[in-house]
Amino acid sequence: IGDSMAWMHASPLPSHCPQPYPRFKASHCNLTTGNVPAGLPSRTNTTAMLRNIPGRYKQEVLVAEIESMGFSDSYDWLYLPMDVRNRLNVGYAFINFLCPSEMMRFTKTFTNYRFQLYSRKEALVSPAHVQGLLENLINFCH
């Protein structure tokens, strides 16, 4: 784990754990009040599951595409599981956003989004079962 995460953990994460991206800018956060529109994640969700990712996408390609859509300073962790035998991703990723409003914006942007490379698949976005940066780091280290 990088120096930027040292404040969260007394000891570094094992190398087999998905490592967080060292981003901690919350400049895009807009904590609004009122009802959440139907079909969007709740006001407390920060971790999204992005599905239907083309199998040939590598993490760097997915990150570049997400960031090209205006999310470069919006998240602190992204994990794209890979099938090491086939050297393809498994079709989904987890992304933890710095605040719920950024996850809501991501959900609106990437629901039914067509990936730019290798396929014309439409993305699906839903709240992940595990929420939060620390909770995901712990979950994916086991």
Side-chain angles (χ1 to χ4, degrees), residues 31-100:
L31 302 177
T32 60
T33 59
N35 293 330
V36 175
L40 292 180
S42 82
R43 193 174 312 283
T44 60
N45 289 330
T46 59
T47 308
M49 181 179 190
L50 176 64
R51 293 181 286 162
N52 292 341
I53 299 168
R56 291 175 30 193
Y57 267 54
K58 302 293 184 224
Q59 185 159 311
E60 300 78 28
V61 173
L62 181 61
V63 166
E65 193 159 335
I66 289 170
E67 292 187 357
S68 76
M69 299 297 290
F71 292 94
S72 61
D73 292 329
S74 300
Y75 64 99
D76 53 11
W77 181 76
L78 183 149
Y79 176 47
L80 177 65
M82 300 297 289
D83 178 339
V84 292
R85 191 177 73 215
N86 294 323
R87 296 171 44 180
L88 300 170
N89 74 64
V90 296
Y92 57 84
F94 298 98
I95 307 148
N96 188 70
F97 292 91
L98 297 173
C99 57

